[in-house]
Amino acid sequence: MEEALNNTIHPACLQEPPLAIDVIKQLDAFGVCQYSMLTFMSCVSLLLYLEQCVYIYKKLPYPKKTTIIWINGAAPVIATMACFGMWIPRAVMFTDMTSNCYFAVVVYKVLVLLIEELGGYSVFLGRFSGKPFKISTGPCCCCCPCLPLVPMSRRMLFLLKIGALQYAILKTVLSVFSIILWTNGNFDLSDLEITGAAIWINPFIGVLTITSLWPVAIVFMNINSHLRRINIIPKYAMYQLILVLSQLQTSIINILALDGTIACAPPFSSQARGSMLSQQMMIMEMFIITLVTRMLYRRTYDTLPSEVHDNDHNAKVCLEAAVIEHDV
């Protein structure tokens, strides 16, 4: 029965992804225009990001500028890797791993940015130490409103940082490990058997992802009201949108391709065609996000209102002390 079914399927649907030269040969006039436009979008995204890096490097102090440069690079890096995956289908696994490893670092950098926007770790602890923080937030505990409030402390902040940082470290380690297994023929994304490596590694990475998103959500939900002047909500929304598009959207398309819902189109197999559609959609989406992110971050950061008030108050106290001393 299985042999008869395989005989009715086009041979290309059972093959590996095509070579880059095969992709170029099968392009018609519409395909050439489509690939050229998408490549142009990814190049513009990268150029805008490089220009944004120069602007931020000149305008902002260290270490805030390095954090913002990392976060701004999420969409352009994903768009660039998607462009490589579109032209070289056999490299999709490597380009996706590169994008995901970069975004894993961005998750931690978003937490760092939230703290730095309030003045740094010492100022953050001085401002919120002992104050109750709500931890019943997504993606882990949004359905648990009965969870008690946890007071912020140095230990609590350390645990939040570790929770976000573990994903950046372990995701990179597991990606390297997956590549090593792939070279030995033990790692295949389409192999969903219990004995396959992918069925164990990918769910574990999913758990790491959810675990790392939770600390960032906890900090954001408790301090976003203090940072609305610097548009922290739309910035956080862009970060969340990149997460959904680069992780959830790609996973859904890959599942549909493995299920055969996305039909094969020679020289692309069903899985290769799903990857190609995912890369093309990602380039367009990340191009738009790059433009929006550039607009949000292209500004000179001012001192927060509370800090201005504190500085004015301290200056006033010093002035009054100097007047009293002069009178004496």
Side-chain angles (χ1 to χ4, degrees):
M1 178 70 177
E2 184 176 353
E3 293 181 358
L5 180 62
N6 289 338
N7 291 333
T8 61
I9 300 177
H10 195 282
C13 296
L14 303 174
Q15 294 176 356
E16 293 182 343
L19 297 171
I21 188 65
D22 296 328
V23 174
I24 296 174
K25 288 180 179 179
Q26 62 90 31
L27 290 178
D28 53 10
F30 175 77
V32 170
C33 294
Q34 182 186 30
Y35 272 57
S36 300
M37 182 61 67
L38 293 173
T39 304
F40 175 76
M41 286 183 177
S42 63
C43 290
V44 170
S45 298
L46 187 59
L47 291 175
L48 288 176
Y49 169 61
L50 295 176
E51 188 272 338
Q52 181 79 338
C53 289
V54 175
Y55 176 84
I56 293 173
Y57 188 82
K58 291 180 179 179
K59 297 291 184 179
L60 298 180
Y62 179 85
K64 186 181 294 184
K65 60 184 176 184
T66 57
T67 303
I68 294 177
I69 286 173
W70 268 98
I71 296 174
N72 272 259
V77 167
I78 294 174
T80 303
M81 291 297 104
C83 184
F84 284 132
M86 180 183 68
W87 284 104
I88 311 174
R90 294 195 180 187
V92 165
M93 186 182 76
F94 302 99
T95 57
D96 285 348
M97 285 184 177
T98 303
S99 300
N100 293 336
C101 288
Y102 185 94
F103 188 76
V105 179
V106 170
V107 172
Y108 173 70
K109 289 295 183 180
V110 170
L111 176 62
V112 173
L113 178 65
L114 292 173
I115 297 173
E116 287 181 352
E117 291 288 18
L118 288 166
Y121 294 100
S122 58
V123 176
F124 180 87
L125 288 173
R127 193 170 184 176
F128 295 103
S129 182
K131 293 185 178 180
F133 266 47
K134 180 182 177 181
I135 62 172
S136 56
T137 62
C140 291
C141 300
C142 56
C143 298
C144 304
C146 57
L147 288 177
L149 301 179
V150 178
M152 176 53 62
S153 62
R154 188 175 298 274
R155 181 174 178 271
M156 176 67 174
L157 182 59
F158 175 76
L159 292 176
L160 292 174
K161 289 171 59 181
I162 290 297
L165 183 60
Q166 52 84 21
Y167 179 49
I169 297 174
L170 295 179
K171 171 59 182 176
T172 305
V173 172
L174 290 175
S175 295
V176 174
F177 183 60
S178 299
I179 293 174
I180 294 173
L181 293 178
W182 176 81
T183 58
N184 196 47
N186 301 115
F187 185 85
D188 184 5
L189 293 174
S190 61
D191 183 12
L192 301 181
E193 297 293 333
I194 195 67
T195 55
I199 198 64
W200 295 99
I201 294 178
N202 289 340
F204 182 63
I205 291 177
V207 173
L208 295 178
T209 305
I210 295 174
T211 306
S212 67
L213 296 175
W214 191 30
V216 183
I218 290 175
V219 174
F220 172 78
M221 292 300 293
N222 287 276
I223 71 170
N224 70 82
S225 60
H226 301 278
L227 300 175
R228 291 187 178 179
R229 186 184 177 190
I230 58 172
N231 296 325
I232 198 63
I233 294 179
K235 290 176 183 176
Y236 189 81
M238 288 297 103
Y239 146 76
Q240 293 276 49
L241 185 59
I242 294 174
L243 169 69
V244 171
L245 294 177
S246 63
Q247 305 294 322
L248 186 59
Q249 174 183 270
T250 303
S251 299
I252 293 174
I253 293 177
N254 289 337
I255 292 173
L256 293 176
L258 290 173
D259 187 56
T261 304
I262 299 177
C264 68
F268 293 96
S269 64
S270 179
Q271 187 177 357
R273 186 161 178 253
S275 297
M276 178 195 66
L277 294 175
S278 176
Q279 308 302 316
Q280 292 176 347
M281 293 172 61
M282 199 76 65
I283 292 173
M284 293 184 290
E285 293 159 352
M286 293 303 130
F287 174 73
I288 297 173
I289 292 176
T290 299
L291 298 178
V292 176
T293 304
R294 182 176 183 273
M295 178 186 66
L296 290 174
Y297 284 93
R298 195 167 185 85
R299 55 179 294 275
T300 302
Y301 280 73
D302 301 322
T303 310
L304 289 178
S306 59
E307 295 176 351
V308 173
H309 177 73
D310 293 340
N311 292 337
D312 292 343
H313 177 71
N314 293 336
K316 184 178 180 180
V317 170
C318 293
L319 181 60
E320 291 177 352
V323 171
I324 293 173
E325 182 180 359
H326 176 71
D327 292 342
V328 173

